[in-house]
Amino acid sequence: MKRRMVNVVLMTVLAASMVMCGCGNKAQEAPETAMEARAAEPEEKEDEYSEEDLEGIVTGLEDHYIMEKAEDIDYLHNVQYNEDIVVGIKENGAKEVDAAKTGKYTVTYTVTADKEALADYIEKKAEEAEKNEAKEAGKNDADSRSDEAGPDEKDDAGRETDRAETEKRPEAEEEGVKDTEAKEEASDKSGTDEKNTDQDAEKEPEESGVPEEKEEGASGAEDKETVEIEVKKDMTVVDEEKAKDLADKGEVVWTDKNETVSKSDGSEVKEEAEAPASTEDKGTASTPAKTEKPASGNTGNGSGTKPAQQAHTHNYNIPVTTVRHHDAVTQQVWVQDSAAWDEPVYSSRAICSCGADITGNTTGHYVDCNGGYSVKQVQTGTVHHEGTGHYENRVVQNAWDETVTTGYKCSCGAVQ
């Protein structure tokens, strides 16, 4: 009876092992099936890449606050990228943002990436995510089956399993030794084949007569197909009071040369650069992006973090002028032909030798004065005459040319 129970337990363990092996094979086949499905899908178009695809490749592309009238802002400040995937980054911040005027502006970052390297990275990241999901699902399934079994069943099965494993351990160890020897033999054979292949590859350039360096140049970075991914970010220009309020809340506000606005108590609001995850995984050092002195070359194993380089920063300090012509100014002006004047009125009057006007009383005055008189023309009144004239156009301001500043331009010719 006891032997029969042992046989039953052994058969149960064997069946369970076969089921687990089958599940393992399916789990191993799952990624291959997923890869085949992805391979059957049509290739993504260039315009299908988005900011989400740059996660882990580019860091520092964020919305920012800028204090009003801030100068020398570098919109690539703290931007870093994996130079094995990204060729370069351009931005139009200097053209789009008017730091002299508060408001929200949109800056477009254009990320140029190696299409093949980008696709490979996205595919590997997707595969890693699928593996993690499958592992988590398997773990949850095992926990669920363990919870379904009763305590007594678990104890009995555990004791029988331990007994069966003890009896099978010598056989398993012997099989393990055989498997190890077989694997080592296969590994030695594979290493020999790879070594022979490498030797053949090294000899091939010499046989064809083409130097190896020339072949590398022919398939260099210039021949790589690239894609451009646009990332839009908001740049909000705020006044000094708003900038202080944001800084007190821990927000980063750029001022001159990307310095940060301090809090009201004088403490600094720090802005730290973050290296892309794709470079951290390879143990590569990260260098903050600096427009003035771009970093050069790779470090470590050849997969470095290269700061975004800005070939030219616009400086709109050259006035753009135009000449505006102003016509002469004319006005209706009164021109006087003759001035106003008063005309005297004369009449005949009897004037005594003493000078008295004795008109109408000559006899009576003669008795009193005993003098002679005469008749003379004497002015007795006036007649007023208004002045005369006419209106005519006269130039009150001559024609003139005015030089007007319509904007400003950079030395490269770009106009703001």
Side-chain angles (χ1 to χ4, degrees):
M1 183 66 179
K2 184 176 181 181
R3 180 175 297 177
R4 183 178 297 176
M5 289 181 64
V6 171
N7 291 336
V8 170
V9 172
L10 289 175
M11 292 178 66
T12 303
V13 173
L14 180 60
S17 300
M18 293 177 64
V19 171
M20 292 177 65
C21 291
C23 293
N25 292 335
K26 290 180 180 179
Q28 292 176 0
E29 292 174 2
E32 296 178 0
T33 304
M35 290 175 64
E36 292 174 358
R38 283 193 295 272
E41 294 178 355
E43 292 185 0
E44 292 184 341
K45 298 180 181 179
E46 292 184 6
D47 55 3
E48 291 181 352
Y49 290 107
S50 64
E51 180 182 358
E52 184 178 352
D53 297 318
L54 297 175
E55 183 178 354
I57 302 173
V58 180
T59 58
L61 297 181
E62 301 173 353
D63 298 333
H64 285 287
Y65 291 104
I66 302 174
M67 191 166 75
E68 186 180 11
K69 297 180 182 179
E71 298 180 350
D72 298 329
I73 296 295
D74 177 12
Y75 295 92
L76 293 173
H77 181 66
N78 280 347
V79 175
Q80 299 187 42
Y81 61 80
N82 187 331
E83 65 178 354
D84 286 348
I85 302 174
V86 176
V87 178
I89 302 177
K90 297 180 181 179
E91 49 80 23
N92 64 347
K95 182 178 180 181
E96 295 296 330
V97 179
D98 184 2
K101 184 178 180 181
T102 59
K104 181 179 289 187
Y105 303 87
T106 300
V107 172
T108 301
Y109 292 88
T110 303
V111 180
T112 303
D114 183 331
K115 184 176 181 180
E116 182 179 356
L118 178 61
D120 288 344
Y121 176 78
I122 294 174
E123 183 176 358
K124 290 178 181 178
K125 189 165 66 172
E127 290 177 2
E128 187 67 25
E130 289 180 3
K131 289 180 181 179
N132 292 335
E133 290 178 2
K135 185 184 295 184
E136 187 66 24
K139 181 180 179 182
N140 293 337
D141 189 37
D143 293 341
S144 177
R145 288 198 301 270
S146 177
D147 293 339
E148 291 175 359
D152 296 337
E153 295 177 358
K154 290 181 183 179
D155 294 340
D156 294 341
R159 285 194 293 271
E160 295 297 337
T161 301
D162 293 341
R163 187 181 300 111
E165 289 180 354
T166 302
E167 294 176 357
K168 293 173 62 178
R169 189 171 298 162
E171 298 178 0
E173 290 178 355
E174 183 177 353
E175 292 179 358
V177 172
K178 293 181 180 179
D179 292 341
T180 302
E181 292 177 353
K183 289 180 181 178
E184 290 179 354
E185 182 178 354
S187 177
D188 293 340
K189 184 177 180 181
S190 175
T192 304
D193 294 341
E194 290 179 359
K195 185 175 181 181
N196 294 336
T197 303
D198 294 339
Q199 291 176 352
D200 294 340
E202 292 176 358
K203 293 178 180 179
E204 185 175 350
E206 298 178 0
E207 294 174 358
S208 60
V210 180
E212 186 176 356
E213 294 182 357
K214 187 173 182 180
E215 290 183 359
E216 291 180 356
S219 59
E222 296 179 357
D223 298 332
K224 293 182 180 179
E225 184 178 0
T226 60
V227 293
E228 289 188 349
I229 305 170
E230 288 192 351
V231 179
K232 296 185 181 295
K233 292 297 177 182
D234 292 333
M235 300 292 160
T236 305
V237 179
V238 297
D239 56 29
E240 186 175 359
E241 182 179 357
K242 180 66 175 178
K244 277 291 182 185
D245 183 53
L246 290 169
D248 289 338
K249 295 178 181 179
E251 295 286 350
V252 172
V253 183
W254 283 344
T255 182
D256 297 345
K257 297 182 179 179
N258 299 91
E259 295 291 334
T260 58
V261 176
S262 300
K263 296 182 180 180
S264 299
D265 59 5
S267 59
E268 181 184 0
V269 180
K270 294 184 179 180
E271 181 182 19
E272 297 181 357
E274 181 182 356
S278 59
T279 59
E280 290 180 347
D281 293 342
K282 296 182 179 182
T284 305
S286 173
T287 304
K290 294 182 179 180
T291 304
E292 295 80 8
K293 296 180 180 180
S296 59
N298 297 347
T299 59
N301 58 4
S303 177
T305 299
K306 186 176 181 179
Q309 298 181 5
Q310 189 176 17
H312 174 70
T313 300
H314 294 303
N315 183 15
Y316 299 99
N317 60 349
I318 303 174
V320 178
T321 61
T322 185
V323 177
R324 293 179 183 175
H325 178 73
H326 297 270
D327 293 332
V329 179
T330 60
Q331 185 177 346
Q332 288 281 323
V333 179
W334 172 259
V335 179
Q336 181 176 287
D337 296 328
S338 63
W341 59 289
D342 293 328
E343 178 184 3
V345 177
Y346 294 92
S347 60
S348 298
R349 308 294 293 179
I351 304 301
C352 179
S353 58
C354 68
D357 184 352
I358 58 174
T359 302
N361 190 26
T362 56
T363 303
H365 183 78
Y366 177 76
V367 173
D368 294 335
C369 182
N370 196 24
Y373 70 92
S374 61
V375 178
K376 297 181 179 179
Q377 291 292 319
V378 178
Q379 182 179 349
T380 57
T382 58
V383 176
H384 181 73
H385 296 273
E386 296 291 341
T388 61
H390 65 279
Y391 286 98
E392 64 181 29
N393 284 330
R394 283 192 177 181
V395 176
V396 294
Q397 185 176 0
N398 294 326
W400 58 291
D401 292 331
E402 178 186 12
T403 300
V404 180
T405 300
T406 59
Y408 293 88
K409 66 180 180 180
C410 179
S411 59
C412 70
V415 179
Q416 186 180 37

